[in-house]
Amino acid sequence: VPTPAISIVFPARDEGKRVEHTIASAVESCDTPHDIEVVVVDDCSTFDRRPDIGKQSSRLPVRIVRSDKHLGVGAARNLGVRHARGEIVFITDAHVRFSHGWDRQIGRLITPERILALTIRDRNSTWRGFGCRLAVPFMGTRWNTKPPNPGQHVQIAVSSGTVMMRSLFKRIGGYDEGMLHYGGFEPEFSVRAWRSGAEIVLAPTIEVTHRFKSTSERVAFTVKARTAMTHNCLRFGVTHLPEVMILEMVRLHALEYPRHIQAALGLLEERGAWSRREELAANLPYDFAWFVDRFELRDQIGMEIPVERMRRPKPA
Amino acid sequence: MSEKLRQVLKTMSQDSELLQQLRENPQEVVDRFELSPAESQRLEHSDRLFSLVNNPLVESNNTITLHTITITSSPPVAAPCSLEELSQERLVEITQRILMDAEYAARVRAFLGL
């Protein structure tokens, strides 16, 4: 079996037929289908909503990796990349469409230490997102909605359109599996990528059209996932923020989500956030202070971020 | 790493009263755990931050953005402070969310002083 150049990897949980349409779009809009494979991670879908790929496997290699346990998006993506054979991995979602010539453009823009942040389009409007930026100290994100200059660096690549060499994904360590189910994976991965010495570059001409959830779907989803999302934000902050901001971050979450904060704090201890902080501080070449300087980052109301005490010499 | 900070968070995960203190009177937490002046200052700062960024009537002011569920509207020029200032569409969205999310409903009530 020839080795593909690009592996498209995405998790699918109860996505059913949408998976077939996503794969069809990938094939129909690329220049060299024989150089592409698709790895779908079925993240414990209910039986009748399992990924349905129709006849797409006759057009390109498609593998479905099933998990009987609900992994969450981070662990599912990691599992997919472990099964990928392409030199380049294209992380995306199960309900997207691709712009024409996406594979040729990836081939032109990718480098060993570069992550491409693709442009995300809303299927139902003219809205476009060009990567995200970090909201400190809450550890959420905000979209960049202004068209960028080509080749511009961004803080955060969005998971529905993140492309890099598989070797780089491995070197960064994949998505943080200490996080739970949903929320916070992409910004944490991106900050860690920057701190690892990689760069994240916007690829404005490669577009991924995404199906965003409706308001009612969104509310129903977040109500169920809130404890995990709160935990993930806290874990993100504990692993990267200056210590002096950690309690401030916890207070913000406690004010906003009083019914979830206690369980989230319990999970924080249980899932080893503090040892993760130590591990990253010991192993990453750049500290969070470097990231703050790199993007002239301020907190959510424009105040300086107190990173002085965590600053250490820059790597040679 | 500050072992003290870790202990504070661990204690909070088991002590609801301490968490309530953190929300309502963070200075008591500072005193009890003898936190540094810098930490104390950041906690004071969080009051300002929360009041500035947490208008529940403005969705784009939410401090967390989830990639597959993100709002696609641009932030309004002036943040609304009452239900009368909202568009009909936004009012419907808020009502839907109030009905499904008790925590959000409490935030809206608190924000509107109901």
Side-chain angles (χ1 to χ4, degrees):
Chain A
V1 181
T3 306
I6 302 177
S7 298
I8 298 177
V9 174
F10 59 86
R13 181 169 163 80
D14 294 336
E15 296 282 353
K17 199 81 176 160
R18 286 184 193 135
V19 173
E20 178 184 0
H21 299 309
T22 294
I23 298 172
S25 168
V27 182
E28 285 153 17
S29 55
C30 74
D31 285 356
T32 52
H34 56 274
D35 251 354
I36 290 157
E37 70 164 2
V38 176
V39 181
V40 183
V41 178
D42 176 2
D43 191 6
C44 198
S45 299
T46 51
F47 183 77
D48 56 343
R49 299 290 301 153
R50 282 182 168 185
D52 179 348
I53 62 168
K55 292 178 179 165
Q56 297 304 321
S57 57
S58 64
R59 307 173 83 185
L60 81 175
V62 180
R63 270 177 298 151
I64 299 181
V65 183
R66 289 193 204 285
S67 172
D68 293 331
K69 182 183 144 204
H70 179 26
L71 298 171
V73 290
R77 287 181 200 130
N78 289 349
L79 179 62
V81 173
R82 285 199 293 276
H83 281 80
R85 295 178 306 125
E87 198 182 355
I88 296 168
V89 287
F90 183 150
I91 312 285
T92 188
D93 286 338
H95 34 254
V96 300
R97 300 290 180 272
F98 301 79
S99 59
H100 280 284
W102 60 267
D103 54 335
R104 178 176 25 89
Q105 294 187 62
I106 285 173
R108 190 169 55 80
L109 295 170
I110 203 79
T111 67
E113 294 297 309
R114 175 180 286 178
I115 295 170
L116 298 178
L118 311 187
T119 300
I120 309 302
R121 286 181 64 153
D122 177 19
R123 191 195 291 181
N124 300 314
S125 71
T126 56
W127 182 92
R128 280 182 174 86
F130 306 97
C132 287
R133 56 191 190 278
L134 192 59
V136 175
F138 194 90
M139 307 313 279
T141 57
R142 292 182 191 284
W143 283 99
N144 300 321
T145 51
K146 286 187 185 149
N149 302 319
Q152 188 177 315
H153 285 140
V154 282
Q155 296 172 25
I156 296 162
V158 177
S159 63
S160 43
T162 297
V163 179
M164 75 200 89
M165 306 294 284
R166 185 154 53 93
S167 55
L168 179 60
F169 185 89
K170 196 175 167 191
R171 183 170 75 73
I172 295 167
Y175 292 94
D176 178 7
E177 295 195 19
M179 290 186 169
L180 286 160
H181 307 318
Y182 190 84
F185 287 95
E186 300 86 354
E188 197 285 328
F189 178 83
S190 293
V191 170
R192 190 155 33 87
W194 278 109
R195 290 185 59 189
S196 302
E199 62 171 357
I200 304 178
V201 173
L202 272 171
T205 55
I206 311 176
E207 292 189 338
V208 173
T209 302
H210 189 273
R211 173 194 168 272
F212 287 92
K213 286 181 164 66
S214 66
T215 303
S216 54
E217 282 178 293
R218 191 169 70 226
V219 173
F221 182 88
T222 51
V223 165
K224 274 196 230 160
R226 181 59 70 198
T227 301
M229 287 159 58
T230 305
H231 163 262
N232 292 355
C233 278
L234 298 184
R235 180 176 170 94
F236 182 15
V238 163
T239 49
H240 294 278
L241 276 181
E243 274 188 22
V244 75
M245 290 184 96
I246 289 176
L247 208 49
E248 179 189 1
M249 166 191 70
V250 172
R251 183 161 187 257
L252 287 178
H253 284 271
L255 287 165
E256 196 154 353
Y257 306 114
R259 299 204 308 191
H260 301 273
I261 187 70
Q262 198 156 21
L265 285 168
L267 288 165
L268 195 67
E269 182 65 26
E270 201 179 297
R271 300 181 72 84
W274 294 95
S275 52
R276 175 83 170 166
R277 178 184 179 87
E278 288 189 340
E279 181 198 322
L280 296 186
N283 296 320
L284 296 182
Y286 294 93
D287 51 28
F288 188 71
W290 177 88
F291 179 80
V292 168
D293 291 345
R294 173 68 188 73
F295 288 101
E296 298 175 345
L297 196 64
R298 313 285 286 188
D299 76 8
Q300 283 164 265
I301 53 172
M303 307 277 286
E304 208 167 298
I305 296 174
V307 288
E308 278 312 315
R309 280 193 289 179
M310 71 193 309
R311 210 179 288 280
R312 55 189 159 89
K314 303 221 177 340
Chain B
M1 179 195 77
S2 160
E3 194 52 39
K4 187 198 277 183
L5 181 56
R6 181 178 177 175
Q7 276 310 317
V8 174
L9 300 195
K10 199 172 170 183
T11 310
M12 280 175 185
S13 73
Q14 294 151 355
D15 182 346
S16 307
E17 271 182 40
L18 180 60
L19 259 176
Q20 197 173 340
Q21 273 179 358
L22 178 73
R23 278 194 298 268
E24 291 166 11
N25 190 357
Q27 191 55 46
E28 284 180 23
V29 179
V30 171
D31 295 342
R32 177 171 161 186
F33 290 96
E34 299 176 336
L35 299 178
S36 70
E39 281 166 315
S40 172
Q41 209 176 10
R42 292 305 305 189
L43 280 175
E44 279 174 33
H45 174 261
S46 64
D47 266 335
R48 192 172 153 219
L49 205 154
F50 188 72
S51 64
L52 281 175
V53 301
N54 197 51
N55 177 345
L57 303 185
V58 183
E59 188 156 26
S60 53
N61 262 8
N62 280 355
T63 41
I64 185 163
T65 303
L66 297 160
H67 295 125
T68 56
I69 58 169
T70 299
I71 343 99
T72 54
S73 58
S74 304
V77 177
C81 293
S82 67
L83 298 179
E84 289 77 16
E85 294 170 61
L86 298 172
S87 67
Q88 197 175 5
E89 190 188 25
R90 181 70 189 131
L91 192 59
V92 170
E93 280 180 6
I94 287 177
T95 309
Q96 276 182 328
R97 187 162 173 199
I98 285 171
L99 293 172
M100 296 170 81
D101 183 347
E103 212 160 44
Y104 177 73
R107 278 172 51 212
V108 174
R109 273 198 303 276
F111 181 79
L112 297 173
L114 300 174

